[in-house]
Amino acid sequence: MVTKTNEEGWITYMSGDDLLERARAEREALEAIWRGLSAEDMTRRPGPHPEWSVKDLIAHITWWEQSATNLVSRALSGEMLASPKTTDEVNASVYEDNRDLPLETVLEMFEASFTPLEKLLGRMTDDEINDPEVCNIRDMPLLYFLVGNTFAHYADHVEELRSYVESLPPPGVP
C-alpha cells in the first residue's frame, strides 16, 4: 500500500492501485447499505436527505463519477476547464435532471458509471495522479479531485443513508 498523509490526515500521495482498491471497497460498502431495500423505500421522499430519496442519492453519486471520468479525461488532454456553477448548483441540476427517472434506470446507470473511471485510472501512472501540476480541476489537484469524487464522496453520504435505512420499519411491519 502506497498512501501518504500529512499531519492533518489529508492524503498527499496515493498510488493508482490503492486509489482504485479503496474506491471499489468504499463504493461496495455504500451500495451494501441500500441493498435489499424495497423499491418504495428507495424512492420515498424525503429519504436519506431532506429532499432526496435513495434513488436520488444514487443518481447524484453516479453523476459525479461520470463527471470525474469526463473532466479528468478532458483535463489530461490539455483542455482548460471552467465551471460556472457552484457544487450546490450542480447538485440541484443533477437532482432535477434525474428525479423522474425510473429506479431501474438509475441503478443501471450506477452499475455502468464506475467501469470507465476504473479504466481511466488504470491508464494513469502514479506520477500523473499525484503531480499537482498535471492538471487542476475545480481548483483541486488531480489527486484531490479523484479522491473527492470516489471514496471521500461515498463517505459523505454513508451516515445519512445508514440512518435512513435504520429508521425504516422491518420488512413486513407497517
Side-chain angles (χ1 to χ4, degrees):
M1 185 158 123
V2 185
T3 300
K4 298 175 187 172
T5 58
N6 63 17
E7 300 80 38
E8 292 86 32
W10 282 85
I11 295 171
T12 57
Y13 182 93
M14 187 171 225
S15 73
D17 289 342
D18 286 349
L19 194 153
L20 198 49
E21 181 180 323
R22 182 145 176 211
R24 283 180 184 137
E26 298 291 331
R27 190 178 197 266
E28 173 61 30
L30 182 70
E31 186 177 3
I33 297 171
W34 75 68
R35 197 175 297 127
L37 290 180
S38 69
E40 180 182 345
D41 290 337
M42 291 189 70
T43 56
R44 179 182 296 120
R45 291 184 189 111
H49 186 275
E51 292 89 29
W52 297 354
S53 66
V54 173
K55 179 195 76 141
D56 299 325
L57 178 61
I58 296 167
H60 164 84
I61 290 166
T62 300
W63 188 92
W64 281 103
E65 286 177 345
Q66 292 169 339
S67 178
T69 303
N70 179 27
L71 290 174
V72 170
S73 296
R74 291 169 52 201
L76 290 174
S77 71
E79 185 176 337
M80 298 300 291
L81 304 172
S83 178
K85 292 183 175 181
T86 68
T87 300
D88 287 342
E89 290 169 333
V90 170
N91 288 339
S93 179
V94 169
Y95 172 75
E96 286 302 318
D97 291 347
N98 292 281
R99 65 184 268 160
D100 295 326
L101 289 177
L103 174 61
E104 297 76 25
T105 301
V106 170
L107 291 172
E108 288 169 6
M109 290 167 44
F110 176 79
E111 287 304 316
S113 68
F114 197 68
T115 301
L117 186 58
E118 286 178 306
K119 288 179 182 177
L120 176 66
L121 289 173
R123 289 191 309 265
M124 295 175 67
T125 67
D126 291 351
D127 288 340
E128 286 176 313
I129 291 169
N130 289 282
D131 184 345
E133 302 301 317
V134 167
C135 64
N136 181 303
I137 304 170
R138 296 183 72 85
D139 295 324
M140 285 181 264
L142 182 57
L143 174 63
Y144 290 171
F145 184 77
L146 290 167
V147 167
N149 284 287
T150 59
F151 62 86
H153 188 210
Y154 312 147
D156 289 342
H157 298 290
V158 165
E159 288 309 312
E160 64 187 359
L161 182 58
R162 185 173 288 126
S163 293
Y164 170 74
V165 170
E166 290 172 354
S167 75
L168 297 171
V173 176

